[in-house]
Amino acid sequence: MRTALAIAAPPWPEGAMRRASLILAAPLLALAAPAQAQLCDNSNVRVGADGRALGHLPYGDAPPGELVAVPEGLAVGPCVLRRDMIPDLARLIAASGGQVRALSCHRSISYQQAVFCREAQTAAGERALSVAPPGHSEHATGYALDFAFRPRVNDCPDAEACGAATPAFRWLVANAARYGFEMSFPAGNRQRVKWEPWHWRWVGASATAPGAARARALFARARTAFPAEPAVARDPVVIAAVAPPPIYLGAYAPPECRKGKCRLLKARRR
């Protein structure tokens, strides 16, 4: 049948055949092309099947209407975060006695691109060990921030591993989970991101805290595949207690079975 149809069909002009071939091939090429994320100077990087770019999970940008300025005295320089996490941040900083301060907070995707691309001489994969590519930073969610530790020890700069030697960092490790904060990139993390003792995300001390459900949904994949350490304890799955159905003793007679065949008997009369 296919041969008969081919013979009966009128011949196509060579140019028309070429255009038809390109039209048919276009969808296949689109499907075969790997997804890519834009980095710097129009250069792209391949995005894996799990959505990660250079090891980092994808995150959207926080809605501007949900971002508020961190109150003066809680941050080192200007800082905006999601409104829901500000109360816990304020309580954490107050409990630390001012040893811990918010440092780098929400970063828009465009700002993150500027941060990622400012060392263009370094290979993108190497930069990604310590800086997420644009569109793949926890900072863009508005639920993550870097902490500064005070007082400084041995003139250690902010956002450096030497900050882990400070009493403020040790206090943070021991107490952060009580206020809903967990360290995103612990030492030796499976995500293969540089250990960042200063970078923490907020997920709420409990799932019922205002905004915590949304934060936990955003970080669900990260918390499952690349657990934080120390981490906020996960709420146990609670199965509601359901009363068993009532049993009507004697209401139905047991079936009568013979040679593998059963039949129901009539209900007993009361």
Side-chain angles (χ1 to χ4, degrees):
M1 179 63 73
R2 290 180 181 174
T3 303
L5 287 174
I7 294 173
W12 284 38
E14 183 179 353
M17 179 66 76
R18 186 181 298 111
R19 288 193 297 271
S21 299
L22 291 174
I23 292 171
L24 291 173
L28 299 178
L29 291 173
L31 290 174
Q36 295 182 331
Q38 184 173 339
L39 295 183
C40 315
D41 298 327
N42 297 320
S43 62
N44 296 325
V45 63
R46 183 171 180 172
V47 174
D50 61 355
R52 289 198 291 158
L54 300 175
H56 294 267
L57 289 164
Y59 294 102
D61 210 339
E66 296 186 14
L67 297 171
V68 297
V70 173
E72 187 177 354
L74 302 184
V76 179
C79 178
V80 295
L81 289 168
R82 293 253 194 170
R83 181 180 291 102
D84 290 330
M85 68 176 291
I86 298 297
D88 275 344
L89 177 65
R91 284 190 284 267
L92 179 147
I93 292 175
S96 75
Q99 298 180 87
V100 177
R101 302 283 184 86
L103 177 63
S104 179
C105 304
H106 170 262
R107 297 179 192 163
S108 66
I109 290 178
S110 59
Y111 182 83
Q112 185 68 24
Q113 186 176 35
V115 173
F116 185 84
C117 298
R118 63 188 175 192
E119 296 182 8
Q121 70 278 9
T122 306
E126 187 176 344
R127 274 177 281 159
L129 295 175
S130 56
V131 181
H136 294 73
S137 171
E138 289 190 349
H139 282 281
T141 68
Y143 289 124
L145 75 159
D146 297 340
F147 281 116
F149 306 119
R150 298 291 186 268
R152 297 177 187 268
V153 173
N154 296 327
D155 295 325
C156 175
D158 290 326
E160 290 291 343
C162 53
T166 63
F169 174 74
R170 291 193 290 271
W171 181 93
L172 189 63
V173 168
N175 296 279
R178 295 170 52 197
Y179 304 94
F181 291 86
E182 59 185 23
M183 190 194 304
S184 302
F185 307 116
N189 61 83
R190 294 203 300 263
Q191 197 169 347
R192 297 183 179 180
V193 175
K194 176 183 175 182
W195 175 42
E196 296 189 350
W198 59 87
H199 181 99
W200 297 66
R201 63 188 175 219
W202 179 85
V203 294
S206 72
T208 58
R214 182 181 298 180
R216 292 183 180 208
L218 282 171
F219 297 127
R221 287 181 60 194
R223 300 184 82 205
T224 300
F226 313 109
E229 182 61 43
V232 174
R234 298 195 179 200
D235 294 330
V237 177
V238 178
I239 300 176
V242 179
I247 299 175
Y248 301 96
L249 296 176
Y252 300 94
E256 188 176 78
C257 301
R258 291 180 183 178
K259 296 181 180 181
K261 294 183 179 181
C262 301
R263 66 186 182 90
L264 294 177
L265 302 179
K266 294 182 179 180
R268 297 175 185 175
R269 292 183 178 180
R270 293 182 179 273

